[in-house]
Amino acid sequence: MNLNVETAFKIIRMMSKSAIEHSWLALPKPYPNADLRLFCFPYAGGSALIYRDWWKGLTSHIEVCAVQLPGRGMRLGEPPFTRVEPLVDALMPVIMAHADKPFAFFGHSMGALISFELARALRREHGVEPFHLFISGRQAPSVTDNEKTYDLPEQEFIEEVRRLNGTPKEILENAELMHLMLPLLRADFQLCETYTHAPGPPLDCPLTVFGGMQDCVTPEELDQWRAYTNGPFALRRLPGDHFFLHTSQPLMLKVLAQKLLQQLHATARK
């Protein structure tokens, strides 16, 4: 088969677009007929694997799309982002390519920050918002934290990572694994610690915030998220420390499924 130059370039662009989208998203259990896509964003040092079992606690109406950021998993050879803005710019076309049906965002800690700024950028640039925004384990943007840990000396930085209690002891005590993990962790911490919130109009989508009962993020800091939406707001605190999304996963997924299904049914009745 002979192809002219224009057709050849069109095929190359389509293949490139497909490859880019594939690299950004992992679908643990594809549901082509799902009513809604749930894009899940990882915490610092985390990957799409965090969400590999989430489909088991949800429903076939909801397709879990775990976001794989550069610097981890199959994208280990790619440099991780160290600023929120360019990461959001890179994610927007990925989300828009899958905006043919309603979509919701879930983000924990660093992922909460990314999902929030991505929701704002999508509305600003494309006039679309998530069906629902789930924020987990992160204080509201109005709460400022001037502490900088990403550039600490190596041992002090490792102690900070240990304090957060989200990295398995086996990795922390393995010098070779920590040598591999440190550049990614520093980049993710830098992304969070250099973030500056730019004031703007509230979102209109429903916003549900999760917090851990033993987490250092206080209920007051979580409650301040209500100022960032004109839509319904809910705050749920679950047993556990900063990584309660693992220890309280069944309960969290139950809440997620209930809220999304109720909203889908309410939308269908309109």
mmCIF file of all heavy atoms in Angstrom, residues 133-150:
data_model
loop_
_atom_site.group_PDB
_atom_site.id
_atom_site.type_symbol
_atom_site.label_atom_id
_atom_site.label_comp_id
_atom_site.label_asym_id
_atom_site.label_seq_id
_atom_site.Cartn_x
_atom_site.Cartn_y
_atom_site.Cartn_z
ATOM 1 N N LEU A 133 -14.725 15.910 42.642
ATOM 2 C CA LEU A 133 -13.317 16.007 43.026
ATOM 3 C C LEU A 133 -13.157 15.454 44.437
ATOM 4 O O LEU A 133 -13.787 15.930 45.386
ATOM 5 C CB LEU A 133 -12.851 17.466 42.972
ATOM 6 C CG LEU A 133 -11.418 17.758 43.447
ATOM 7 C CD1 LEU A 133 -10.401 16.997 42.606
ATOM 8 C CD2 LEU A 133 -11.135 19.260 43.391
ATOM 9 N N PHE A 134 -12.299 14.424 44.567
ATOM 10 C CA PHE A 134 -12.007 13.815 45.861
ATOM 11 C C PHE A 134 -10.589 14.196 46.276
ATOM 12 O O PHE A 134 -9.620 13.858 45.585
ATOM 13 C CB PHE A 134 -12.129 12.295 45.791
ATOM 14 C CG PHE A 134 -13.530 11.802 45.517
ATOM 15 C CD1 PHE A 134 -13.926 11.499 44.227
ATOM 16 C CD2 PHE A 134 -14.446 11.643 46.546
ATOM 17 C CE1 PHE A 134 -15.211 11.039 43.954
ATOM 18 C CE2 PHE A 134 -15.738 11.187 46.296
ATOM 19 C CZ PHE A 134 -16.120 10.887 45.000
ATOM 20 N N ILE A 135 -10.486 14.904 47.383
ATOM 21 C CA ILE A 135 -9.209 15.353 47.927
ATOM 22 C C ILE A 135 -8.904 14.521 49.164
ATOM 23 O O ILE A 135 -9.770 14.361 50.034
ATOM 24 C CB ILE A 135 -9.274 16.848 48.298
ATOM 25 C CG1 ILE A 135 -9.470 17.717 47.049
ATOM 26 C CG2 ILE A 135 -8.041 17.270 49.084
ATOM 27 C CD1 ILE A 135 -8.285 17.730 46.096
ATOM 28 N N SER A 136 -7.674 14.038 49.265
ATOM 29 C CA SER A 136 -7.339 13.145 50.366
ATOM 30 C C SER A 136 -5.990 13.507 50.980
ATOM 31 O O SER A 136 -4.990 13.665 50.273
ATOM 32 C CB SER A 136 -7.303 11.700 49.835
ATOM 33 O OG SER A 136 -6.900 10.793 50.828
ATOM 34 N N GLY A 137 -5.976 13.660 52.299
ATOM 35 C CA GLY A 137 -4.725 13.800 53.025
ATOM 36 C C GLY A 137 -3.904 15.036 52.717
ATOM 37 O O GLY A 137 -2.675 14.972 52.784
ATOM 38 N N ARG A 138 -4.568 16.142 52.376
ATOM 39 C CA ARG A 138 -3.824 17.371 52.120
ATOM 40 C C ARG A 138 -4.606 18.580 52.616
ATOM 41 O O ARG A 138 -5.822 18.665 52.430
ATOM 42 C CB ARG A 138 -3.520 17.546 50.628
ATOM 43 C CG ARG A 138 -2.633 18.775 50.396
ATOM 44 C CD ARG A 138 -2.135 18.917 48.989
ATOM 45 N NE ARG A 138 -1.361 20.144 48.870
ATOM 46 C CZ ARG A 138 -0.073 20.267 49.125
ATOM 47 N NH1 ARG A 138 0.615 19.207 49.508
ATOM 48 N NH2 ARG A 138 0.554 21.412 49.005
ATOM 49 N N GLN A 139 -3.887 19.523 53.221
ATOM 50 C CA GLN A 139 -4.495 20.757 53.687
ATOM 51 C C GLN A 139 -4.945 21.609 52.507
ATOM 52 O O GLN A 139 -4.461 21.457 51.393
ATOM 53 C CB GLN A 139 -3.510 21.553 54.562
ATOM 54 C CG GLN A 139 -2.311 22.119 53.823
ATOM 55 C CD GLN A 139 -1.129 21.172 53.764
ATOM 56 O OE1 GLN A 139 -1.298 19.954 53.802
ATOM 57 N NE2 GLN A 139 0.072 21.725 53.680
ATOM 58 N N ALA A 140 -5.880 22.512 52.768
ATOM 59 C CA ALA A 140 -6.380 23.410 51.723
ATOM 60 C C ALA A 140 -5.265 24.331 51.229
ATOM 61 O O ALA A 140 -4.300 24.600 51.949
ATOM 62 C CB ALA A 140 -7.539 24.242 52.270
ATOM 63 N N PRO A 141 -5.371 24.792 49.989
ATOM 64 C CA PRO A 141 -4.328 25.672 49.429
ATOM 65 C C PRO A 141 -4.074 26.938 50.242
ATOM 66 O O PRO A 141 -2.983 27.510 50.177
ATOM 67 C CB PRO A 141 -4.884 26.016 48.039
ATOM 68 C CG PRO A 141 -5.778 24.881 47.699
ATOM 69 C CD PRO A 141 -6.395 24.454 48.994
ATOM 70 N N SER A 142 -5.083 27.372 50.999
ATOM 71 C CA SER A 142 -4.916 28.582 51.803
ATOM 72 C C SER A 142 -3.984 28.370 52.990
ATOM 73 O O SER A 142 -3.503 29.331 53.591
ATOM 74 C CB SER A 142 -6.278 29.053 52.317
ATOM 75 O OG SER A 142 -6.906 28.020 53.062
ATOM 76 N N VAL A 143 -3.715 27.098 53.333
ATOM 77 C CA VAL A 143 -2.833 26.785 54.453
ATOM 78 C C VAL A 143 -1.396 26.738 53.933
ATOM 79 O O VAL A 143 -1.037 25.862 53.150
ATOM 80 C CB VAL A 143 -3.196 25.432 55.102
ATOM 81 C CG1 VAL A 143 -2.273 25.140 56.282
ATOM 82 C CG2 VAL A 143 -4.652 25.432 55.543
ATOM 83 N N THR A 144 -0.593 27.681 54.332
ATOM 84 C CA THR A 144 0.779 27.764 53.823
ATOM 85 C C THR A 144 1.738 27.029 54.749
ATOM 86 O O THR A 144 1.590 27.042 55.969
ATOM 87 C CB THR A 144 1.231 29.227 53.695
ATOM 88 O OG1 THR A 144 1.102 29.871 54.978
ATOM 89 C CG2 THR A 144 0.374 29.963 52.678
ATOM 90 N N ASP A 145 2.721 26.374 54.138
ATOM 91 C CA ASP A 145 3.762 25.656 54.884
ATOM 92 C C ASP A 145 5.099 26.022 54.244
ATOM 93 O O ASP A 145 5.388 25.617 53.113
ATOM 94 C CB ASP A 145 3.511 24.152 54.816
ATOM 95 C CG ASP A 145 4.515 23.364 55.654
ATOM 96 O OD1 ASP A 145 5.412 23.996 56.248
ATOM 97 O OD2 ASP A 145 4.406 22.126 55.700
ATOM 98 N N ASN A 146 5.906 26.792 54.958
ATOM 99 C CA ASN A 146 7.154 27.287 54.399
ATOM 100 C C ASN A 146 8.322 26.330 54.592
ATOM 101 O O ASN A 146 9.441 26.633 54.173
ATOM 102 C CB ASN A 146 7.506 28.652 55.024
ATOM 103 C CG ASN A 146 6.470 29.705 54.670
ATOM 104 O OD1 ASN A 146 5.976 29.742 53.547
ATOM 105 N ND2 ASN A 146 6.130 30.559 55.636
ATOM 106 N N GLU A 147 8.078 25.184 55.224
ATOM 107 C CA GLU A 147 9.164 24.237 55.460
ATOM 108 C C GLU A 147 9.633 23.619 54.145
ATOM 109 O O GLU A 147 8.829 23.172 53.331
ATOM 110 C CB GLU A 147 8.708 23.130 56.416
ATOM 111 C CG GLU A 147 9.821 22.164 56.798
ATOM 112 C CD GLU A 147 9.338 21.081 57.750
ATOM 113 O OE1 GLU A 147 8.110 20.980 57.938
ATOM 114 O OE2 GLU A 147 10.173 20.348 58.272
ATOM 115 N N LYS A 148 10.936 23.586 53.940
ATOM 116 C CA LYS A 148 11.532 22.989 52.731
ATOM 117 C C LYS A 148 12.405 21.815 53.151
ATOM 118 O O LYS A 148 13.356 21.981 53.925
ATOM 119 C CB LYS A 148 12.365 24.017 51.967
ATOM 120 C CG LYS A 148 11.556 25.215 51.462
ATOM 121 C CD LYS A 148 10.618 24.822 50.343
ATOM 122 C CE LYS A 148 9.906 26.023 49.733
ATOM 123 N NZ LYS A 148 8.921 26.627 50.641
ATOM 124 N N THR A 149 12.065 20.642 52.677
ATOM 125 C CA THR A 149 12.832 19.449 53.038
ATOM 126 C C THR A 149 13.472 18.776 51.833
ATOM 127 O O THR A 149 14.345 17.932 52.003
ATOM 128 C CB THR A 149 11.920 18.421 53.741
ATOM 129 O OG1 THR A 149 10.876 18.019 52.845
ATOM 130 C CG2 THR A 149 11.282 19.012 54.994
ATOM 131 N N TYR A 150 13.039 19.133 50.620
ATOM 132 C CA TYR A 150 13.501 18.400 49.439
ATOM 133 C C TYR A 150 15.005 18.514 49.192
ATOM 134 O O TYR A 150 15.602 17.650 48.545
ATOM 135 C CB TYR A 150 12.733 18.833 48.189
ATOM 136 C CG TYR A 150 13.033 20.237 47.696
ATOM 137 C CD1 TYR A 150 14.086 20.465 46.810
ATOM 138 C CD2 TYR A 150 12.256 21.318 48.092
ATOM 139 C CE1 TYR A 150 14.357 21.749 46.352
ATOM 140 C CE2 TYR A 150 12.517 22.596 47.647
ATOM 141 C CZ TYR A 150 13.572 22.807 46.772
ATOM 142 O OH TYR A 150 13.838 24.081 46.322
#
